[in-house]
Amino acid sequence: MRYFIRFAYFGKAYHGWQNQPNAITVQEVLEKALSTLLRQPIEVVGAGRTDAGVHAKEMYAHFDVDQVANREELVYRLNAYLPEAIAIQDLVAVKLDAHARFDATERTYEYWLVQDKNPFYSDFAHCILQPLDVKAMNKAANYLLSHTDFESFSKSNSDVKTFNCDVRKAFWEKKEDKLVFTIVADRFLRNMVRAVVGTLLDVGLGKMEPEKINDIIESRNRSKAGVSVPAKGLYLTAISYPKNIFDEQN
């Protein structure tokens, strides 16, 4: 059978999601836990990649195994086994051809900013002490919805077939003591959100006009965009799937 596992992680201690030969990753730790508790080699396929230091409030992966007799018990045992930085939220049966990455229809990221020195956010958010023109940043963010090719915000030398993304929402809002950027799309390029935020901050700091973001996108040149902001402020917060991939009988 195939299962989707839903989980969250705090990314500070990990070199991203995907397995790497000489660095600890979330995928490696999760596969080890599943393999140990299920007493057989388990490989998981994630919904996407997150870079080193990026966090996830909601991440999905799938794996194949004989039927799990008690899913709630397995979730409990996994949480007892895994380090505090990784938490399993749910385990659901899906159809055999369901795919955590390719069946995802929408992904949501948040980027957290604080504008006062705050030791309680030192690992959770990026700090910008200068005043920001949030209205101008939102005007610039809205232009993202008018474009599809985001090569200007992609990590250089990315091995992707297309730079096209369907950005459906992009906005800044004040949430308690944080300034939060939310962006929703069908897919994201490597480093894309952090590069977008860095560029929008240039607008907020008065370094360029909001309309300039159109020229940056149309240039398809990463060097025209702003610097990438630190990973510690980035959170994958939601992933959506069509209901018909879930196995209602199990």
Side-chain angles (χ1 to χ4, degrees), residues 140 213 228:
I213 199 166
S228 294

Side-chain angles (χ1 to χ4, degrees), residues 21-59:
N22 299 309
I24 189 73
T25 67
V26 178
Q27 183 180 16
E28 176 187 345
V29 173
L30 182 58
E31 286 180 340
K32 181 181 178 182
L34 284 165
S35 299
T36 299
L37 296 180
L38 295 173
R39 299 182 181 180
Q40 59 183 285
I42 298 292
E43 295 182 358
V44 300
V45 177
R49 295 185 294 191
T50 56
D51 291 336
V54 174
H55 319 295
K57 290 187 173 184
E58 181 177 83
M59 176 65 154

